[in-house]
Tab-separated table of all heavy atoms in Angstrom:
chain	number	residue	atom	x	y	z
A	584	VAL	N	-36.726	2.839	-47.026
A	584	VAL	CA	-35.600	2.318	-47.774
A	584	VAL	C	-35.070	1.048	-47.089
A	584	VAL	O	-34.790	-0.003	-47.817
A	584	VAL	CB	-34.488	3.424	-47.909
A	584	VAL	CG1	-33.141	2.705	-48.362
A	584	VAL	CG2	-34.876	4.496	-48.786
A	585	ILE	N	-35.049	0.978	-45.826
A	585	ILE	CA	-34.666	-0.143	-45.052
A	585	ILE	C	-35.592	-1.371	-45.464
A	585	ILE	O	-35.163	-2.497	-45.535
A	585	ILE	CB	-34.565	0.047	-43.575
A	585	ILE	CG1	-33.407	1.090	-43.247
A	585	ILE	CG2	-34.283	-1.295	-42.746
A	585	ILE	CD1	-32.002	0.632	-43.649
A	586	GLY	N	-36.912	-1.021	-45.416
A	586	GLY	CA	-37.873	-2.092	-45.685
A	586	GLY	C	-37.779	-2.599	-46.992
A	586	GLY	O	-37.806	-3.898	-47.253
A	587	VAL	N	-37.449	-1.785	-47.960
A	587	VAL	CA	-37.354	-2.305	-49.353
A	587	VAL	C	-36.044	-3.049	-49.457
A	587	VAL	O	-36.071	-4.149	-50.171
A	587	VAL	CB	-37.273	-0.980	-50.338
A	587	VAL	CG1	-36.779	-1.559	-51.757
A	587	VAL	CG2	-38.709	-0.345	-50.485
A	588	MET	N	-34.981	-2.632	-48.925
A	588	MET	CA	-33.807	-3.440	-48.953
A	588	MET	C	-33.886	-4.774	-48.218
A	588	MET	O	-33.393	-5.762	-48.864
A	588	MET	CB	-32.555	-2.684	-48.105
A	588	MET	CG	-32.001	-1.484	-48.871
A	588	MET	SD	-30.828	-0.431	-48.058
A	588	MET	CE	-29.849	-1.692	-47.384
A	589	LEU	N	-34.489	-4.823	-47.132
A	589	LEU	CA	-34.773	-6.112	-46.494
A	589	LEU	C	-35.675	-7.070	-47.412
A	589	LEU	O	-35.457	-8.293	-47.475
A	589	LEU	CB	-35.437	-6.037	-45.136
A	589	LEU	CG	-34.579	-5.332	-44.100
A	589	LEU	CD1	-35.322	-5.127	-42.816
A	589	LEU	CD2	-33.338	-6.290	-43.837
A	590	GLY	N	-36.590	-6.384	-48.080
A	590	GLY	CA	-37.484	-7.175	-48.949
A	590	GLY	C	-36.716	-7.764	-50.094
A	590	GLY	O	-36.915	-8.925	-50.532
A	591	PHE	N	-35.871	-6.910	-50.654
A	591	PHE	CA	-34.983	-7.491	-51.732
A	591	PHE	C	-34.063	-8.586	-51.334
A	591	PHE	O	-33.744	-9.515	-52.027
A	591	PHE	CB	-34.189	-6.333	-52.386
A	591	PHE	CG	-35.008	-5.456	-53.402
A	591	PHE	CD1	-34.819	-4.120	-53.537
A	591	PHE	CD2	-36.128	-6.024	-54.022
A	591	PHE	CE1	-35.506	-3.246	-54.423
A	591	PHE	CE2	-36.941	-5.165	-54.844
A	591	PHE	CZ	-36.616	-3.919	-55.077
A	592	LEU	N	-33.503	-8.410	-50.044
A	592	LEU	CA	-32.543	-9.428	-49.541
A	592	LEU	C	-33.215	-10.725	-49.425
A	592	LEU	O	-32.639	-11.826	-49.727
A	592	LEU	CB	-31.976	-8.942	-48.275
A	592	LEU	CG	-30.911	-7.903	-48.257
A	592	LEU	CD1	-30.573	-7.439	-46.867
A	592	LEU	CD2	-29.685	-8.461	-48.839
A	593	ILE	N	-34.494	-10.693	-49.029
A	593	ILE	CA	-35.278	-11.930	-48.776
A	593	ILE	C	-35.681	-12.554	-50.134
A	593	ILE	O	-35.484	-13.771	-50.408
A	593	ILE	CB	-36.490	-11.662	-47.845
A	593	ILE	CG1	-36.085	-11.452	-46.355
A	593	ILE	CG2	-37.394	-12.985	-47.966
A	593	ILE	CD1	-37.036	-10.851	-45.566
A	594	ARG	N	-36.320	-11.677	-51.008
A	594	ARG	CA	-36.825	-12.228	-52.251
A	594	ARG	C	-35.699	-12.618	-53.273
A	594	ARG	O	-35.866	-13.621	-54.015
A	594	ARG	CB	-37.664	-11.091	-52.841
A	594	ARG	CG	-38.358	-11.445	-54.155
A	594	ARG	CD	-39.310	-10.479	-54.682
A	594	ARG	NE	-39.935	-10.881	-55.875
A	594	ARG	CZ	-40.792	-10.231	-56.658
A	594	ARG	NH1	-41.011	-9.005	-56.272
A	594	ARG	NH2	-41.185	-10.711	-57.664
A	595	TYR	N	-34.564	-11.972	-53.314
A	595	TYR	CA	-33.677	-12.229	-54.343
A	595	TYR	C	-32.370	-12.742	-53.737
A	595	TYR	O	-31.296	-12.615	-54.276
A	595	TYR	CB	-33.306	-10.866	-55.047
A	595	TYR	CG	-34.600	-10.370	-55.804
A	595	TYR	CD1	-35.146	-9.261	-55.539
A	595	TYR	CD2	-34.942	-11.114	-56.981
A	595	TYR	CE1	-36.293	-8.686	-56.109
A	595	TYR	CE2	-36.213	-10.583	-57.610
A	595	TYR	CZ	-36.828	-9.429	-57.205
A	595	TYR	OH	-37.777	-8.947	-57.938
A	596	ASN	N	-32.387	-13.502	-52.639
A	596	ASN	CA	-31.111	-14.083	-52.194
A	596	ASN	C	-30.574	-15.194	-53.038
A	596	ASN	O	-31.284	-15.728	-53.872
A	596	ASN	CB	-31.297	-14.590	-50.665
A	596	ASN	CG	-32.064	-15.766	-50.554
A	596	ASN	OD1	-32.166	-16.646	-51.418
A	596	ASN	ND2	-32.750	-15.842	-49.430
A	597	ALA	N	-29.330	-15.485	-52.852
A	597	ALA	CA	-28.714	-16.415	-53.722
A	597	ALA	C	-29.301	-17.862	-53.680
A	597	ALA	O	-29.219	-18.652	-54.731
A	597	ALA	CB	-27.206	-16.542	-53.471
A	598	LYS	N	-29.760	-18.236	-52.492
A	598	LYS	CA	-30.438	-19.578	-52.474
A	598	LYS	C	-31.763	-19.823	-53.326
A	598	LYS	O	-31.957	-20.784	-53.875
A	598	LYS	CB	-30.773	-19.913	-50.983
A	598	LYS	CG	-29.489	-20.128	-50.132
A	598	LYS	CD	-29.911	-20.326	-48.740
A	598	LYS	CE	-28.620	-20.326	-47.831
A	598	LYS	NZ	-28.987	-20.501	-46.422
A	599	ARG	N	-32.455	-18.700	-53.301
A	599	ARG	CA	-33.713	-18.722	-54.176
A	599	ARG	C	-33.471	-18.420	-55.584
A	599	ARG	O	-34.203	-18.984	-56.382
A	599	ARG	CB	-34.720	-17.682	-53.573
A	599	ARG	CG	-35.369	-18.024	-52.325
A	599	ARG	CD	-36.322	-17.017	-51.990
A	599	ARG	NE	-37.063	-17.365	-50.719
A	599	ARG	CZ	-37.904	-16.630	-50.002
A	599	ARG	NH1	-38.385	-15.557	-50.649
A	599	ARG	NH2	-38.495	-17.116	-48.964
A	600	ASN	N	-32.479	-17.736	-55.877
A	600	ASN	CA	-32.170	-17.384	-57.327
A	600	ASN	C	-30.664	-17.547	-57.551
A	600	ASN	O	-29.900	-16.665	-57.569
A	600	ASN	CB	-32.495	-15.796	-57.578
A	600	ASN	CG	-33.967	-15.574	-57.245
A	600	ASN	OD1	-34.764	-16.021	-57.937
A	600	ASN	ND2	-34.212	-14.694	-56.165
A	601	PRO	N	-30.306	-18.803	-57.903
A	601	PRO	CA	-28.919	-19.052	-57.954
A	601	PRO	C	-28.263	-18.472	-59.267
A	601	PRO	O	-27.144	-18.172	-59.257
A	601	PRO	CB	-28.839	-20.623	-58.051
A	601	PRO	CG	-30.196	-21.135	-58.365
A	601	PRO	CD	-31.108	-20.006	-57.797
A	602	THR	N	-29.154	-18.262	-60.294
A	602	THR	CA	-28.612	-17.675	-61.440
A	602	THR	C	-29.355	-16.159	-61.637
A	602	THR	O	-30.569	-16.115	-61.442
A	602	THR	CB	-28.889	-18.413	-62.759
A	602	THR	OG1	-30.327	-18.816	-62.883
A	602	THR	CG2	-28.106	-19.735	-62.589
A	603	ALA	N	-28.581	-15.226	-62.000
A	603	ALA	CA	-29.114	-13.969	-62.147
A	603	ALA	C	-30.012	-13.910	-63.453
A	603	ALA	O	-29.644	-14.524	-64.444
A	603	ALA	CB	-27.973	-12.949	-62.197
A	604	THR	N	-30.986	-13.127	-63.340
A	604	THR	CA	-31.946	-12.939	-64.558
A	604	THR	C	-31.925	-11.422	-64.853
A	604	THR	O	-31.889	-10.613	-64.011
A	604	THR	CB	-33.357	-13.404	-64.197
A	604	THR	OG1	-33.843	-12.686	-63.239
A	604	THR	CG2	-33.415	-14.946	-63.988
A	605	PRO	N	-31.826	-11.184	-66.213
A	605	PRO	CA	-31.796	-9.698	-66.560
A	605	PRO	C	-33.131	-9.078	-66.328
A	605	PRO	O	-34.091	-9.716	-66.402
A	605	PRO	CB	-31.501	-9.786	-68.093
A	605	PRO	CG	-31.861	-11.172	-68.503
A	605	PRO	CD	-31.740	-12.175	-67.299
A	606	THR	N	-32.981	-7.884	-65.881
A	606	THR	CA	-34.190	-7.082	-65.626
A	606	THR	C	-34.385	-5.973	-66.710
A	606	THR	O	-33.419	-5.493	-67.296
A	606	THR	CB	-34.227	-6.347	-64.396
A	606	THR	OG1	-33.095	-5.556	-64.230
A	606	THR	CG2	-34.106	-7.377	-63.209
A	607	ARG	N	-35.612	-5.627	-66.921
A	607	ARG	CA	-35.912	-4.507	-67.952
A	607	ARG	C	-36.259	-3.292	-67.250
A	607	ARG	O	-36.487	-3.257	-66.064
A	607	ARG	CB	-37.039	-4.951	-68.798
A	607	ARG	CG	-36.672	-6.195	-69.605
A	607	ARG	CD	-37.634	-6.418	-70.689
A	607	ARG	NE	-37.086	-7.592	-71.407
A	607	ARG	CZ	-37.204	-7.687	-72.712
A	607	ARG	NH1	-37.790	-6.729	-73.425
A	607	ARG	NH2	-36.805	-8.682	-73.272
A	608	GLU	N	-36.040	-2.181	-67.953
A	608	GLU	CA	-36.369	-0.865	-67.267
A	608	GLU	C	-37.786	-0.789	-66.810
A	608	GLU	O	-38.683	-1.383	-67.553
A	608	GLU	CB	-35.969	0.303	-68.259
A	608	GLU	CG	-36.804	0.201	-69.581
A	608	GLU	CD	-36.161	1.009	-70.655
A	608	GLU	OE1	-34.942	1.012	-70.901
A	608	GLU	OE2	-36.925	1.733	-71.316
A	609	ASN	N	-38.131	0.015	-65.993
A	609	ASN	CA	-39.409	0.255	-65.367
A	609	ASN	C	-39.611	1.807	-65.421
A	609	ASN	O	-39.235	2.492	-64.539
A	609	ASN	CB	-39.700	-0.361	-64.017
A	609	ASN	CG	-41.062	-0.293	-63.616
A	609	ASN	OD1	-41.847	0.593	-64.054
A	609	ASN	ND2	-41.444	-1.169	-62.698
A	610	THR	N	-40.222	2.266	-66.562
A	610	THR	CA	-40.309	3.759	-66.639
A	610	THR	C	-41.157	4.340	-65.521
A	610	THR	O	-40.825	5.349	-65.022
A	610	THR	CB	-40.997	4.056	-67.972
A	610	THR	OG1	-40.125	3.545	-69.089
A	610	THR	CG2	-40.999	5.550	-68.345
A	611	ALA	N	-42.336	3.769	-65.197
A	611	ALA	CA	-43.143	4.231	-64.101
A	611	ALA	C	-42.363	4.422	-62.803
A	611	ALA	O	-42.469	5.394	-62.117
A	611	ALA	CB	-44.320	3.410	-63.978
A	612	LEU	N	-41.578	3.345	-62.428
A	612	LEU	CA	-40.800	3.405	-61.197
A	612	LEU	C	-39.707	4.464	-61.231
A	612	LEU	O	-39.475	5.353	-60.324
A	612	LEU	CB	-40.203	2.031	-60.918
A	612	LEU	CG	-39.310	1.882	-59.682
A	612	LEU	CD1	-40.227	2.071	-58.377
A	612	LEU	CD2	-38.726	0.586	-59.621
A	613	GLU	N	-39.116	4.663	-62.331
A	613	GLU	CA	-38.041	5.663	-62.500
A	613	GLU	C	-38.739	7.114	-62.474
A	613	GLU	O	-38.079	7.969	-61.799
A	613	GLU	CB	-37.336	5.547	-63.789
A	613	GLU	CG	-36.445	4.320	-63.987
A	613	GLU	CD	-35.729	4.159	-65.286
A	613	GLU	OE1	-35.683	5.139	-65.927
A	613	GLU	OE2	-35.272	3.077	-65.550
A	614	ILE	N	-39.858	7.178	-62.937
A	614	ILE	CA	-40.534	8.567	-62.825
A	614	ILE	C	-41.050	8.839	-61.390
A	614	ILE	O	-40.800	9.933	-60.883
A	614	ILE	CB	-41.782	8.618	-63.802
A	614	ILE	CG1	-41.441	8.739	-65.273
A	614	ILE	CG2	-42.705	9.858	-63.454
A	614	ILE	CD1	-42.544	8.481	-66.246
A	615	ILE	N	-41.459	7.738	-60.738
A	615	ILE	CA	-41.812	7.937	-59.309
A	615	ILE	C	-40.639	8.354	-58.410
A	615	ILE	O	-40.752	9.337	-57.717
A	615	ILE	CB	-42.577	6.676	-58.769
A	615	ILE	CG1	-43.991	6.517	-59.454
A	615	ILE	CG2	-42.632	6.618	-57.294
A	615	ILE	CD1	-44.545	5.170	-59.217
A	616	TRP	N	-39.497	7.576	-58.650
A	616	TRP	CA	-38.443	7.923	-57.708
A	616	TRP	C	-37.683	9.258	-58.121
A	616	TRP	O	-36.753	9.639	-57.481
A	616	TRP	CB	-37.511	6.669	-57.460
A	616	TRP	CG	-36.595	6.371	-58.521
A	616	TRP	CD1	-35.823	7.031	-59.385
A	616	TRP	CD2	-36.120	5.047	-58.832
A	616	TRP	NE1	-35.151	6.188	-60.180
A	616	TRP	CE2	-35.241	4.983	-59.928
A	616	TRP	CE3	-36.539	3.789	-58.272
A	616	TRP	CZ2	-34.718	3.756	-60.385
A	616	TRP	CZ3	-35.944	2.638	-58.804
A	616	TRP	CH2	-35.097	2.643	-59.866
A	617	THR	N	-38.201	9.750	-59.278
A	617	THR	CA	-37.515	11.056	-59.674
A	617	THR	C	-38.465	12.284	-59.172
A	617	THR	O	-38.033	13.220	-58.545
A	617	THR	CB	-37.355	11.238	-61.171
A	617	THR	OG1	-36.395	10.141	-61.381
A	617	THR	CG2	-36.769	12.566	-61.530
A	618	VAL	N	-39.742	12.059	-59.346
A	618	VAL	CA	-40.795	13.082	-59.076
A	618	VAL	C	-40.957	13.252	-57.558
A	618	VAL	O	-41.067	14.424	-57.128
A	618	VAL	CB	-42.168	12.806	-59.754
A	618	VAL	CG1	-43.258	13.653	-59.240
A	618	VAL	CG2	-41.984	12.860	-61.247
């Protein structure tokens, strides 16, 4: 979880992405984090 959080902090920081982009659902990911 810490690794994923750090990855998101680096990849999606405000300097690289000044405007937010909408995301779509990811059914496979939701199934994985439930199962």
Side-chain angles (χ1 to χ4, degrees):
V584 168
I585 295 298
V587 169
M588 285 176 46
L589 290 174
F591 283 150
L592 282 173
I593 293 167
R594 184 172 178 186
Y595 298 110
N596 73 29
K598 291 178 185 173
R599 289 186 178 178
N600 301 294
T602 58
T604 57
T606 58
R607 298 196 175 220
E608 63 195 42
N609 187 335
T610 305
L612 183 61
E613 291 179 19
I614 289 171
I615 288 170
W616 75 38
T617 301
V618 169

